[in-house]
Amino acid sequence: MPVPVVPHSEVDVLIIGAGPAGLMCANALANAKVNVRVIDKRAARVAAGQADGLSPRTIEVFQSYGIAERLLKESVQVHQAAFYNPSPSGGIELTSRTQDVVAPSARYPFEVYSMKPLGVEVEWSTLPASIEICKDEHVLMDPASHPVRVVLQKLDAPEGQLQEEIVHAKYVVGADGAHSWVRKQFDITMDGEQSDFIWGVMDMVPDTDFPDVRNKCLMHSNNGSILLVPREQDRLRVYVQLENKDIIDPATGRVDKDRMGPDEMLEVARKSFSPYKISPTTGFLWWTLYIIGQRVASQFSVKNRVLIVGDACHTHSPKAGKCLKSGPSLSIALVVRGWADLSLLSTYESERRKFALDLIVFDKMYSTLFSGKPLSQENSHGVAPEHFLKIFKQFGGFTSGIGVHYEPSIATLDKNQELASGLVIGERFPPYKFIRAADAWPFEIQDLLPADFRFKLLVFTGDFSDPLQNARVESMVATMQKPDSFLNRYATSSKGAENSRFDIITISKGRKEGFNFLQFPTLLRSHWSKVFIDDIDVTNSFGGKGYSYYGVGHEGAIVAVRPDGYVGAIAPLDHVEDLDAYFTSFMTAAV
Amino acid sequence: MPVPVVPHSEVDVLIIGAGPAGLMCANALANAKVNVRVIDKRAARVAAGQADGLSPRTIEVFQSYGIAERLLKESVQVHQAAFYNPSPSGGIELTSRTQDVVAPSARYPFEVYSMKPLGVEVEWSTLPASIEICKDEHVLMDPASHPVRVVLQKLDAPEGQLQEEIVHAKYVVGADGAHSWVRKQFDITMDGEQSDFIWGVMDMVPDTDFPDVRNKCLMHSNNGSILLVPREQDRLRVYVQLENKDIIDPATGRVDKDRMGPDEMLEVARKSFSPYKISPTTGFLWWTLYIIGQRVASQFSVKNRVLIVGDACHTHSPKAGKCLKSGPSLSIALVVRGWADLSLLSTYESERRKFALDLIVFDKMYSTLFSGKPLSQENSHGVAPEHFLKIFKQFGGFTSGIGVHYEPSIATLDKNQELASGLVIGERFPPYKFIRAADAWPFEIQDLLPADFRFKLLVFTGDFSDPLQNARVESMVATMQKPDSFLNRYATSSKGAENSRFDIITISKGRKEGFNFLQFPTLLRSHWSKVFIDDIDVTNSFGGKGYSYYGVGHEGAIVAVRPDGYVGAIAPLDHVEDLDAYFTSFMTAAV
């Protein structure tokens, strides 16, 4: 009998794990038109329990993929947080309510909670059996090579059929969760520790006289803490702090799930809720137990060919919020297209590991405060409500994902920040509305910065009717059109706009009533839709202060925005060479 | 050989004509879950030329059907209007630009232009051959009868197959355009006259140095007038005023299409455009000629069983804007459901014919101004630019459809207006944002008033923490819950919320930081999502002045909003009997 031949295949990127982090990566790659496969050993997506709360910055990222509208329509928005604390008369009482998201520049000033998948096709019931990276350095340095070999097994193949496939990938992304198989194959350790705080979680449709089940609610009671998160279809997710003694098996010192079920959790929760009552109307829809731990992987990538993302590289409590990012996908997209050097992938670890370390420091502090006993006569070292509220507000920028700041690397040029003080190099480009010059249609500028594979060059021309500024713009255009300018060196215009690496958007000072966008050199208006003015809208309701909000002066500036929406570089109009230097540091010439 | 049997069928509503007015009606009926068929004699929808410019009010109506999002994504928005007039140095020059829509309360302060169909299934190539209404008054008065008999012929039936069908309809809507076949079958005359103004229209993608091809542009030149409307895919619709002598056949005195094609029109347009240049880049995409006429049908319905809508009942110039409404559909829906008396259908003619007459008076004046010669030294009686601009702005409420005001009828109760001076009885409910009490989520109130079949009862409670106001609200609820209250007399609650005729929404004064929505009687909070407060949103950006914007005082009010989004009745909290009288005038008791 002939031995069946194991099929081989090639792919640009193989993503292992179809949780939120893996799907987010897959979305980003699909959007950048990169060939990608997503596998998951589970038979189907789990309906609950996964970290599907999304921060304001994550909603902006969804918007940059063009799928925020659907997300917003299908999910629950949380706008307000309520704080409850022990009442002098026993039980708990409302201390205050405040905006859930304290991040003034957030375009979406709320969190969303969604249980729906994100629309990428997943190969379920598919297990990675082995993974190997080629050891030949020449192969590894060749961007066209497929140096990662992964053996896949189909768990649901019909009896007697071939169950294996060998995939040769340019890149593998390990998005396989806190117990990551990929991470273990390369002996990457997790640094950090577990806390002593044990929590239970349960989903229910509540019958209650408690008025804050549709806000995020943070409750400190003398019986332990509670966190409430409203969900779709009138559901409520209840996080309940548990006593270790109720749940640890004294013989082994480990969590014993048999000691605690949802009925017992509900009993604990009810004591904290007093004087309010709460019951599930239709039973418990889902529940689990977890120990809070803050840990970060010692490395995020192996030879820039295998990269780990999400819970596989950092774990923290669900209360620190969840900021899903596109991971290394946009760098991968640029390298796969042959536009950027392999070294660009190193920025993934340098940018993200620093952020992950900051996140777990914060989470440790915040979890300790939240799981701590409230201040009381018996416990004078307890957590004061004012202190907790202050920390909640103070770290709003951090927990919302809006305030993420990447350290300098080849993907950011640490120079000329003073030309646009509100556009922080290494931070995401903040939203603002500008008026399209040709038709006075108001646009949110973030909608002009989709997460495709292009760098956006925002040319702040200043006032073009000022002869001095006019001359500077004309001279800048002349410089950019020289054969050795980055625009020409890295141009791929012969293949049409679809393949262009740059998208030039012009933002002028001016008033819509008399403006003529045809006055600009054609480089700055490749289409009539590319010119905007910093003016108030036709209803006199918004806009008109963009230059000042972004800290751009009358002398203008050019701002390079990365495909992931982060500010990459800033240059003066009369020193475009700074952009040459920026792009030369990681871009490869057109062939 | 046996004679083939002609098939018979029944339908609630048969719509003849799948132009914008017919489709709009069909959407409204489908949304109200009424059984509807749409036929059209054409083989498919024409791609251009139909009146597919939509006014701000029409966008609100689309929103009430839940389809505005798609419309806005797929169409061109016009925010700005530009005015050109003769320049002292010859040719034309920009006089001013202004907001295209001058209607402060418009939720969507722009017009849209769309060529896409609206999503209702149409039976194309289907011709009505005959139509008859039953003469038996008993049958006509029976809401369950199907007294209109229409013979349909399929134009695309395969050779030898049966081509006819006999449809028995409860109602027929004639939406078959200016030359309406339905109208002619019932000898309904068109009153009014044609003007002497002849215009040509052509679509092109322009190559031009004229800066206002993406705004609506109204141009008076010494060579005649031009109107520009931007369209999808960089297209431009150019309306060109023509000289009668170039186009009328002197022998017959009628328009002769052979005398004028798009090339000749372009020549006329070019003279007006001077000193600017314009050429089509890829030829003419569509063109036609028309004579402006303002005419209104002498009646809009026959025995309340056949109703005519759109161009079939009134024609005017395309420049007066296009306000598509749902026609009689929502009244039909209520009658078909057995909830309202047949007499409710009479309000269609009483409300709409008055509006149509006003519209043509305006259109005649406006067309005369726009087609008139500009003011000049030679023509001291010409149209002054300031005067034209003033009229443009002054009638913004009218042309946008926002200012439509229906005269008193059984569908509006002309009483208690002083309790809510900003909610004008007989006008559409204006937009404003309120904060949902349970979760501080901000909502546009128009989104709580979908065009389904329900009447919305907005209960403005005032400040419920004020003991006096609290007592008034409690007493109002007690009255509304009495067995003989309209709420119980017309309730169909035994069939579930799906079949409820009323949706109660509570709008309270209060501050989100301390509000407890559970304090309200359960009638006012059938679900946690039904209670709103008039407060500023969590970002401190909007909201909080709704009571004052709507002119509702501290004593509150109940406002009944019709399924079509118009204010139907207002009552004081302590005189719910006014609502009893209102609903009793047209509603039929539950069975």
Side-chain angles (χ1 to χ4, degrees), chain A residues 177-223:
Chain A
H179 304 287
S180 172
W181 173 88
V182 175
R183 192 181 68 218
K184 285 172 191 157
Q185 302 315 300
F186 295 98
D187 295 324
I188 299 172
T189 55
M190 288 295 270
D191 303 338
E193 58 201 28
Q194 284 197 342
S195 71
D196 289 335
F197 301 123
I198 302 181
W199 286 70
V201 200
M202 53 191 167
D203 281 2
M204 64 171 86
V205 176
D207 177 17
T208 184
D209 59 355
F210 183 73
D212 279 281
V213 290
R214 300 309 300 174
N215 291 315
K216 185 197 268 190
C217 183
L218 301 99
M219 192 190 291
H220 269 108
S221 87
N222 289 320
N223 185 58

Short mmCIF file of all heavy atoms in Angstrom, two decimals, chain A residues 177-223:
data_model
loop_
_atom_site.label_atom_id
_atom_site.label_comp_id
_atom_site.label_asym_id
_atom_site.label_seq_id
_atom_site.Cartn_x
_atom_site.Cartn_y
_atom_site.Cartn_z
N GLY A 177 -2.47 32.43 23.29
CA GLY A 177 -2.92 32.60 24.67
C GLY A 177 -1.88 32.44 25.75
O GLY A 177 -0.69 32.19 25.49
N ALA A 178 -2.34 32.57 26.99
CA ALA A 178 -1.45 32.60 28.15
C ALA A 178 -0.59 31.33 28.27
O ALA A 178 0.52 31.37 28.76
CB ALA A 178 -2.28 32.80 29.42
N HIS A 179 -1.13 30.20 27.80
CA HIS A 179 -0.36 28.96 27.88
C HIS A 179 0.26 28.63 26.52
O HIS A 179 0.46 27.45 26.18
CB HIS A 179 -1.27 27.82 28.36
CG HIS A 179 -1.94 28.12 29.67
ND1 HIS A 179 -1.25 28.11 30.86
CD2 HIS A 179 -3.20 28.48 29.98
CE1 HIS A 179 -2.07 28.44 31.84
NE2 HIS A 179 -3.27 28.67 31.33
N SER A 180 0.61 29.63 25.80
CA SER A 180 1.10 29.54 24.41
C SER A 180 2.01 28.34 24.10
O SER A 180 3.10 28.18 24.66
CB SER A 180 1.84 30.84 24.07
OG SER A 180 2.48 30.73 22.81
N TRP A 181 1.55 27.53 23.15
CA TRP A 181 2.36 26.41 22.65
C TRP A 181 3.57 26.96 21.89
O TRP A 181 4.69 26.48 22.03
CB TRP A 181 1.48 25.55 21.75
CG TRP A 181 2.19 24.44 21.02
CD1 TRP A 181 2.41 23.17 21.49
CD2 TRP A 181 2.76 24.49 19.71
NE1 TRP A 181 3.10 22.44 20.56
CE2 TRP A 181 3.32 23.22 19.45
CE3 TRP A 181 2.86 25.49 18.74
CZ2 TRP A 181 3.97 22.93 18.25
CZ3 TRP A 181 3.50 25.19 17.53
CH2 TRP A 181 4.06 23.92 17.30
N VAL A 182 3.35 27.98 21.07
CA VAL A 182 4.44 28.56 20.28
C VAL A 182 5.56 29.04 21.21
O VAL A 182 6.75 28.76 20.99
CB VAL A 182 3.94 29.72 19.41
CG1 VAL A 182 5.09 30.40 18.67
CG2 VAL A 182 2.88 29.25 18.41
N ARG A 183 5.17 29.76 22.26
CA ARG A 183 6.16 30.30 23.19
C ARG A 183 7.00 29.17 23.78
O ARG A 183 8.22 29.27 23.87
CB ARG A 183 5.44 31.06 24.30
CG ARG A 183 6.33 31.90 25.18
CD ARG A 183 5.51 32.59 26.27
NE ARG A 183 4.99 31.61 27.22
CZ ARG A 183 3.78 31.68 27.79
NH1 ARG A 183 2.96 32.69 27.52
NH2 ARG A 183 3.40 30.76 28.64
N LYS A 184 6.31 28.10 24.12
CA LYS A 184 7.03 26.98 24.76
C LYS A 184 7.99 26.29 23.81
O LYS A 184 9.05 25.81 24.22
CB LYS A 184 6.02 25.98 25.34
CG LYS A 184 5.37 26.51 26.62
CD LYS A 184 4.23 25.63 27.10
CE LYS A 184 3.46 26.35 28.20
NZ LYS A 184 2.08 25.84 28.33
N GLN A 185 7.65 26.22 22.52
CA GLN A 185 8.54 25.56 21.55
C GLN A 185 9.90 26.23 21.48
O GLN A 185 10.90 25.61 21.16
CB GLN A 185 7.92 25.54 20.15
CG GLN A 185 6.57 24.87 20.05
CD GLN A 185 6.51 23.55 20.79
OE1 GLN A 185 7.26 22.62 20.48
NE2 GLN A 185 5.64 23.47 21.79
N PHE A 186 9.93 27.52 21.78
CA PHE A 186 11.20 28.25 21.68
C PHE A 186 11.75 28.58 23.07
O PHE A 186 12.63 29.43 23.21
CB PHE A 186 11.03 29.50 20.82
CG PHE A 186 10.70 29.17 19.39
CD1 PHE A 186 9.39 29.20 18.93
CD2 PHE A 186 11.71 28.76 18.52
CE1 PHE A 186 9.08 28.84 17.62
CE2 PHE A 186 11.41 28.42 17.21
CZ PHE A 186 10.10 28.45 16.75
N ASP A 187 11.22 27.90 24.09
CA ASP A 187 11.71 28.06 25.47
C ASP A 187 11.75 29.50 25.93
O ASP A 187 12.69 29.93 26.61
CB ASP A 187 13.12 27.44 25.61
CG ASP A 187 13.08 25.93 25.40
OD1 ASP A 187 12.07 25.31 25.81
OD2 ASP A 187 14.02 25.39 24.79
N ILE A 188 10.74 30.27 25.52
CA ILE A 188 10.68 31.67 25.98
C ILE A 188 10.01 31.67 27.35
O ILE A 188 8.92 31.12 27.52
CB ILE A 188 9.87 32.53 24.99
CG1 ILE A 188 10.56 32.51 23.62
CG2 ILE A 188 9.74 33.96 25.51
CD1 ILE A 188 9.74 33.18 22.52
N THR A 189 10.66 32.27 28.32
CA THR A 189 10.12 32.27 29.69
C THR A 189 9.19 33.45 29.89
O THR A 189 9.24 34.44 29.17
CB THR A 189 11.25 32.36 30.72
OG1 THR A 189 12.04 33.53 30.42
CG2 THR A 189 12.13 31.13 30.67
N MET A 190 8.33 33.32 30.90
CA MET A 190 7.46 34.43 31.30
C MET A 190 8.03 34.98 32.60
O MET A 190 8.16 34.25 33.59
CB MET A 190 6.03 33.94 31.53
CG MET A 190 5.28 33.57 30.28
SD MET A 190 4.98 34.98 29.17
CE MET A 190 3.38 35.57 29.78
N ASP A 191 8.35 36.25 32.61
CA ASP A 191 8.88 36.87 33.81
C ASP A 191 7.75 37.55 34.57
O ASP A 191 6.89 38.20 33.97
CB ASP A 191 9.96 37.91 33.46
CG ASP A 191 11.08 37.29 32.64
OD1 ASP A 191 11.25 36.05 32.70
OD2 ASP A 191 11.77 38.03 31.91
N GLY A 192 7.80 37.44 35.91
CA GLY A 192 6.75 38.06 36.72
C GLY A 192 6.18 37.04 37.67
O GLY A 192 6.74 35.95 37.83
N GLU A 193 5.07 37.37 38.30
CA GLU A 193 4.57 36.48 39.33
C GLU A 193 3.05 36.54 39.41
O GLU A 193 2.42 37.45 38.89
CB GLU A 193 5.16 36.88 40.67
CG GLU A 193 4.84 38.31 41.02
CD GLU A 193 5.81 38.88 42.06
OE1 GLU A 193 6.97 38.41 42.12
OE2 GLU A 193 5.39 39.78 42.79
N GLN A 194 2.51 35.54 40.07
CA GLN A 194 1.08 35.55 40.34
C GLN A 194 0.82 36.26 41.65
O GLN A 194 1.65 36.25 42.55
CB GLN A 194 0.57 34.12 40.44
CG GLN A 194 0.45 33.48 39.07
CD GLN A 194 -0.41 32.25 39.12
OE1 GLN A 194 -0.63 31.72 40.19
NE2 GLN A 194 -0.90 31.83 37.97
N SER A 195 -0.36 36.86 41.76
CA SER A 195 -0.73 37.51 43.03
C SER A 195 -1.46 36.50 43.89
O SER A 195 -1.62 35.35 43.53
CB SER A 195 -1.65 38.69 42.74
OG SER A 195 -2.90 38.19 42.33
N ASP A 196 -1.94 36.95 45.04
CA ASP A 196 -2.75 36.10 45.90
C ASP A 196 -4.24 36.34 45.67
O ASP A 196 -5.07 35.78 46.37
CB ASP A 196 -2.44 36.40 47.38
CG ASP A 196 -1.06 35.90 47.75
OD1 ASP A 196 -0.57 34.96 47.10
OD2 ASP A 196 -0.48 36.48 48.68
N PHE A 197 -4.56 37.20 44.70
CA PHE A 197 -5.96 37.56 44.53
C PHE A 197 -6.66 36.58 43.61
O PHE A 197 -6.26 36.39 42.47
CB PHE A 197 -6.07 38.97 43.96
CG PHE A 197 -5.44 40.02 44.84
CD1 PHE A 197 -4.44 40.85 44.35
CD2 PHE A 197 -5.82 40.16 46.17
CE1 PHE A 197 -3.86 41.80 45.14
CE2 PHE A 197 -5.23 41.13 46.98
CZ PHE A 197 -4.24 41.95 46.47
N ILE A 198 -7.73 35.99 44.13
CA ILE A 198 -8.51 35.05 43.32
C ILE A 198 -9.89 35.63 43.07
O ILE A 198 -10.52 36.16 43.99
CB ILE A 198 -8.64 33.69 44.04
CG1 ILE A 198 -7.25 33.14 44.33
CG2 ILE A 198 -9.45 32.71 43.20
CD1 ILE A 198 -7.26 31.80 45.00
N TRP A 199 -10.32 35.57 41.84
CA TRP A 199 -11.62 36.12 41.47
C TRP A 199 -12.46 35.07 40.74
O TRP A 199 -11.91 34.20 40.07
CB TRP A 199 -11.44 37.34 40.55
CG TRP A 199 -10.96 38.58 41.27
CD1 TRP A 199 -9.72 38.77 41.81
CD2 TRP A 199 -11.71 39.76 41.53
NE1 TRP A 199 -9.65 40.02 42.39
CE2 TRP A 199 -10.86 40.65 42.23
CE3 TRP A 199 -13.02 40.16 41.24
CZ2 TRP A 199 -11.28 41.92 42.64
CZ3 TRP A 199 -13.44 41.42 41.64
CH2 TRP A 199 -12.58 42.29 42.34
N GLY A 200 -13.75 35.20 40.88
CA GLY A 200 -14.67 34.42 40.08
C GLY A 200 -15.41 35.35 39.12
O GLY A 200 -15.52 36.54 39.38
N VAL A 201 -15.88 34.81 38.02
CA VAL A 201 -16.64 35.59 37.04
C VAL A 201 -17.86 34.80 36.64
O VAL A 201 -17.77 33.59 36.44
CB VAL A 201 -15.84 35.84 35.73
CG1 VAL A 201 -16.42 37.00 34.98
CG2 VAL A 201 -14.38 36.03 35.99
N MET A 202 -18.99 35.48 36.49
CA MET A 202 -20.19 34.80 36.00
C MET A 202 -21.02 35.77 35.17
O MET A 202 -21.05 36.96 35.42
CB MET A 202 -21.01 34.25 37.17
CG MET A 202 -21.34 35.26 38.24
SD MET A 202 -22.04 34.45 39.72
CE MET A 202 -21.95 35.79 40.90
N ASP A 203 -21.68 35.22 34.16
CA ASP A 203 -22.59 36.00 33.30
C ASP A 203 -24.03 35.62 33.62
O ASP A 203 -24.34 34.43 33.76
CB ASP A 203 -22.33 35.69 31.81
CG ASP A 203 -21.11 36.42 31.28
OD1 ASP A 203 -20.45 37.13 32.06
OD2 ASP A 203 -20.81 36.24 30.09
N MET A 204 -24.87 36.63 33.71
CA MET A 204 -26.30 36.38 33.96
C MET A 204 -27.13 37.53 33.43
O MET A 204 -26.61 38.61 33.16
CB MET A 204 -26.55 36.27 35.47
CG MET A 204 -26.24 37.57 36.23
SD MET A 204 -26.75 37.53 37.97
CE MET A 204 -25.35 36.77 38.74
N VAL A 205 -28.44 37.29 33.28
CA VAL A 205 -29.39 38.39 33.08
C VAL A 205 -29.97 38.64 34.46
O VAL A 205 -30.69 37.80 35.00
CB VAL A 205 -30.50 38.01 32.08
CG1 VAL A 205 -31.53 39.14 31.99
CG2 VAL A 205 -29.91 37.73 30.71
N PRO A 206 -29.64 39.79 35.07
CA PRO A 206 -29.99 39.95 36.49
C PRO A 206 -31.41 40.45 36.70
O PRO A 206 -31.96 41.20 35.91
CB PRO A 206 -29.00 41.03 36.94
CG PRO A 206 -28.78 41.88 35.73
CD PRO A 206 -28.90 40.94 34.54
N ASP A 207 -31.99 40.00 37.82
CA ASP A 207 -33.22 40.59 38.35
C ASP A 207 -32.77 41.32 39.60
O ASP A 207 -32.30 40.69 40.55
CB ASP A 207 -34.21 39.47 38.67
CG ASP A 207 -35.48 40.02 39.32
OD1 ASP A 207 -35.72 41.25 39.22
OD2 ASP A 207 -36.22 39.23 39.92
N THR A 208 -32.84 42.65 39.59
CA THR A 208 -32.19 43.39 40.67
C THR A 208 -32.82 44.75 40.91
O THR A 208 -33.42 45.32 40.00
CB THR A 208 -30.68 43.56 40.36
OG1 THR A 208 -30.04 44.20 41.47
CG2 THR A 208 -30.47 44.41 39.12
N ASP A 209 -32.66 45.26 42.13
CA ASP A 209 -33.06 46.64 42.42
C ASP A 209 -31.84 47.55 42.50
O ASP A 209 -31.91 48.68 42.98
CB ASP A 209 -33.84 46.70 43.74
CG ASP A 209 -33.05 46.17 44.93
OD1 ASP A 209 -31.92 45.66 44.70
OD2 ASP A 209 -33.54 46.25 46.06
N PHE A 210 -30.70 47.04 42.01
CA PHE A 210 -29.46 47.81 42.02
C PHE A 210 -29.42 48.67 40.76
O PHE A 210 -29.57 48.14 39.65
CB PHE A 210 -28.28 46.82 42.04
CG PHE A 210 -26.94 47.49 42.13
CD1 PHE A 210 -26.52 48.07 43.32
CD2 PHE A 210 -26.09 47.53 41.03
CE1 PHE A 210 -25.27 48.67 43.41
CE2 PHE A 210 -24.85 48.13 41.12
CZ PHE A 210 -24.44 48.71 42.31
N PRO A 211 -29.26 49.99 40.89
CA PRO A 211 -29.46 50.85 39.70
C PRO A 211 -28.27 50.92 38.74
O PRO A 211 -28.40 51.54 37.69
CB PRO A 211 -29.73 52.24 40.30
CG PRO A 211 -29.14 52.20 41.66
CD PRO A 211 -29.06 50.77 42.11
N ASP A 212 -27.14 50.27 39.05
CA ASP A 212 -25.96 50.47 38.20
C ASP A 212 -25.50 49.21 37.46
O ASP A 212 -24.32 49.04 37.23
CB ASP A 212 -24.84 51.08 39.03
CG ASP A 212 -25.02 52.59 39.18
OD1 ASP A 212 -24.70 53.31 38.23
OD2 ASP A 212 -25.57 53.04 40.21
N VAL A 213 -26.45 48.38 37.03
CA VAL A 213 -26.04 47.19 36.28
C VAL A 213 -25.79 47.49 34.81
O VAL A 213 -25.34 46.63 34.07
CB VAL A 213 -27.07 46.04 36.40
CG1 VAL A 213 -27.05 45.46 37.80
CG2 VAL A 213 -28.46 46.51 36.02
N ARG A 214 -26.09 48.70 34.33
CA ARG A 214 -25.79 49.05 32.94
C ARG A 214 -24.62 50.02 32.84
O ARG A 214 -24.28 50.50 31.74
CB ARG A 214 -27.02 49.61 32.22
CG ARG A 214 -28.23 48.67 32.15
CD ARG A 214 -27.92 47.28 31.64
NE ARG A 214 -27.39 47.23 30.30
CZ ARG A 214 -26.96 46.13 29.71
NH1 ARG A 214 -26.98 44.96 30.35
NH2 ARG A 214 -26.48 46.15 28.50
N ASN A 215 -24.01 50.36 33.97
CA ASN A 215 -22.74 51.07 33.96
C ASN A 215 -21.65 50.07 34.33
O ASN A 215 -21.93 49.01 34.87
CB ASN A 215 -22.75 52.20 35.00
CG ASN A 215 -23.69 53.32 34.61
OD1 ASN A 215 -23.72 53.74 33.46
ND2 ASN A 215 -24.48 53.79 35.56
N LYS A 216 -20.39 50.43 34.03
CA LYS A 216 -19.32 49.68 34.66
C LYS A 216 -19.37 50.06 36.13
O LYS A 216 -19.51 51.25 36.47
CB LYS A 216 -17.98 50.06 34.06
CG LYS A 216 -16.83 49.20 34.61
CD LYS A 216 -15.49 49.81 34.34
CE LYS A 216 -14.91 49.30 33.04
NZ LYS A 216 -13.49 49.71 32.89
N CYS A 217 -19.32 49.09 37.02
CA CYS A 217 -19.49 49.42 38.43
C CYS A 217 -18.37 48.80 39.24
O CYS A 217 -18.10 47.60 39.13
CB CYS A 217 -20.86 48.91 38.90
SG CYS A 217 -21.21 49.33 40.59
N LEU A 218 -17.67 49.63 40.01
CA LEU A 218 -16.57 49.17 40.83
C LEU A 218 -16.98 49.30 42.29
O LEU A 218 -17.23 50.41 42.77
CB LEU A 218 -15.30 50.00 40.55
CG LEU A 218 -14.83 49.94 39.09
CD1 LEU A 218 -15.30 51.16 38.32
CD2 LEU A 218 -13.32 49.81 39.00
N MET A 219 -17.08 48.18 42.97
CA MET A 219 -17.67 48.14 44.28
C MET A 219 -16.67 47.61 45.31
O MET A 219 -16.14 46.52 45.15
CB MET A 219 -18.88 47.19 44.20
CG MET A 219 -19.81 47.21 45.37
SD MET A 219 -20.98 45.82 45.19
CE MET A 219 -21.97 46.32 43.78
N HIS A 220 -16.39 48.45 46.30
CA HIS A 220 -15.60 48.00 47.46
C HIS A 220 -16.58 47.75 48.60
O HIS A 220 -17.26 48.69 49.03
CB HIS A 220 -14.63 49.10 47.91
CG HIS A 220 -13.30 49.03 47.26
ND1 HIS A 220 -12.89 49.95 46.32
CD2 HIS A 220 -12.26 48.17 47.43
CE1 HIS A 220 -11.65 49.65 45.93
NE2 HIS A 220 -11.25 48.57 46.59
N SER A 221 -16.65 46.53 49.09
CA SER A 221 -17.49 46.31 50.26
C SER A 221 -16.63 45.68 51.34
O SER A 221 -15.51 45.24 51.07
CB SER A 221 -18.66 45.39 49.92
OG SER A 221 -18.27 44.04 50.08
N ASN A 222 -17.17 45.64 52.56
CA ASN A 222 -16.40 45.02 53.63
C ASN A 222 -16.34 43.51 53.46
O ASN A 222 -15.65 42.83 54.20
CB ASN A 222 -17.00 45.40 54.98
CG ASN A 222 -16.73 46.87 55.29
OD1 ASN A 222 -15.63 47.37 55.01
ND2 ASN A 222 -17.72 47.57 55.83
N ASN A 223 -17.02 43.03 52.44
CA ASN A 223 -17.05 41.59 52.18
C ASN A 223 -16.21 41.22 50.95
O ASN A 223 -16.27 40.10 50.46
CB ASN A 223 -18.51 41.18 51.97
CG ASN A 223 -18.67 39.70 51.80
OD1 ASN A 223 -18.28 38.94 52.68
ND2 ASN A 223 -19.23 39.29 50.67
#
